Amino acid sequence: MKIAVIGSTMMDIVSYTDEMPQAGETRRVSGFHIASGGKGANQAYAMGKLGGHATLLGAVGADSQGTKLCDNLASVGVDVSRVLHLEDAATGMAVIGVQPQGDNSIIVLPGANSRVTPDYIRQNLDVLEASDIVVLQLEIPLETVVYAAQTAKRLGKQVILDPAPAVAHLPEDLFPCLDLIKPNETELGILTGRPYEPARLREDALSLQAKGVRRVLVT
């Protein structure tokens, strides 16, 4: 089974802290590391580790970070031959604060990810045509996500969306293109326009199905 992942590639700067700093506050961290990331790249990496045949469509800068990210993906068998390496844009970066219980806060600099355009998808249409599943997230331009989902559905592919970072008022014509949408609890609240309540989980998930999504998985 072949999988096309269309999405972001970023270098993550991760710090570990007991509590997130407030405005104007400085806090010490208990640990720090730099890691390969980006929601699209993370999905492709996991698929490669599991033995899947994944191709990543995305963009990085023509810099050392971009090279490291692509090398990391290639090390688990992800096809990165179609990834753009841009001279006039930096590789995307994410600054992540992680608390002891595992909750995190993320600040994202899109960089080259902003250049993953519908035209780029059109130039790589053969990747979608050769794939069985097309996987998307929301760290690239929304117009690209919608175009890719509509194109993949027209080609008869299974389409999966991880709606992160969540966007309120997603285009209504996107939902019928999705075979699976996978929000977490916070993202579900943003998508439905009301705060997440455990007792209302089924009702809120069904509201997404009513928009045309085939399956909803809330994490």
Side-chain angles (χ1 to χ4, degrees):
M1 182 172 289
K2 294 184 178 180
I3 307 166
V5 181
I6 305 172
S8 58
T9 304
M10 297 193 183
M11 191 63 76
D12 289 347
I13 302 173
V14 186
S15 61
Y16 299 90
T17 178
D18 292 335
E19 188 175 345
M20 296 298 175
Q22 303 300 310
E25 181 183 20
T26 300
R27 282 188 171 272
R28 295 181 183 274
V29 299
S30 58
F32 165 86
H33 74 273
I34 299 175
S36 299
K39 297 185 187 302
N42 286 345
Q43 288 177 331
Y45 186 91
M47 294 167 190
K49 287 283 284 187
L50 291 169
H53 301 283
T55 298
L56 178 65
L57 296 181
V60 297
D63 49 36
S64 60
Q65 289 88 354
T67 299
K68 289 178 182 178
L69 289 168
C70 288
D71 287 348
N72 184 57
L73 289 163
S75 72
V76 294
V78 176
D79 182 352
V80 293
S81 63
R82 304 299 184 93
V83 173
L84 291 173
H85 291 255
L86 303 172
E87 295 285 350
D88 57 347
T91 296
M93 300 188 74
V95 180
I96 306 170
V98 182
Q99 295 180 271
Q101 67 272 31
D103 291 338
N104 61 42
S105 296
I106 306 175
I107 301 173
V108 171
L109 172 67
N113 294 295
S114 298
R115 305 277 286 278
V116 182
T117 63
D119 187 55
Y120 165 68
I121 303 303
R122 282 189 284 270
Q123 293 170 17
N124 291 278
L125 188 60
D126 61 307
V127 174
L128 274 66
E129 291 172 336
S131 298
D132 303 293
I133 300 173
V134 175
V135 181
L136 299 151
Q137 330 76 37
L138 297 176
E139 281 186 334
I140 58 174
L142 182 57
E143 64 173 339
T144 305
V145 173
V146 174
Y147 174 78
Q150 292 175 336
T151 301
K153 182 52 59 178
R154 176 173 55 81
L155 293 170
K157 311 303 179 180
Q158 291 190 54
V159 183
I160 298 173
L161 174 66
D162 185 351
V167 176
H169 310 300
L170 283 174
E172 291 296 321
D173 55 354
L174 173 61
F175 293 101
C177 299
L178 305 179
D179 294 283
L180 173 67
I181 191 169
K182 190 205 71 63
N184 64 24
E185 296 168 353
T186 300
E187 292 155 359
L188 180 64
I190 294 172
L191 293 175
T192 59
R194 56 185 185 178
Y196 169 75
E197 292 288 346
R200 209 172 55 220
L201 171 60
R202 181 176 176 80
E203 178 185 346
D204 288 348
L206 287 172
S207 74
L208 296 183
Q209 281 193 311
K211 292 176 179 289
V213 179
R214 188 176 178 190
R215 296 185 181 91
V216 181
L217 173 63
V218 182
T219 60

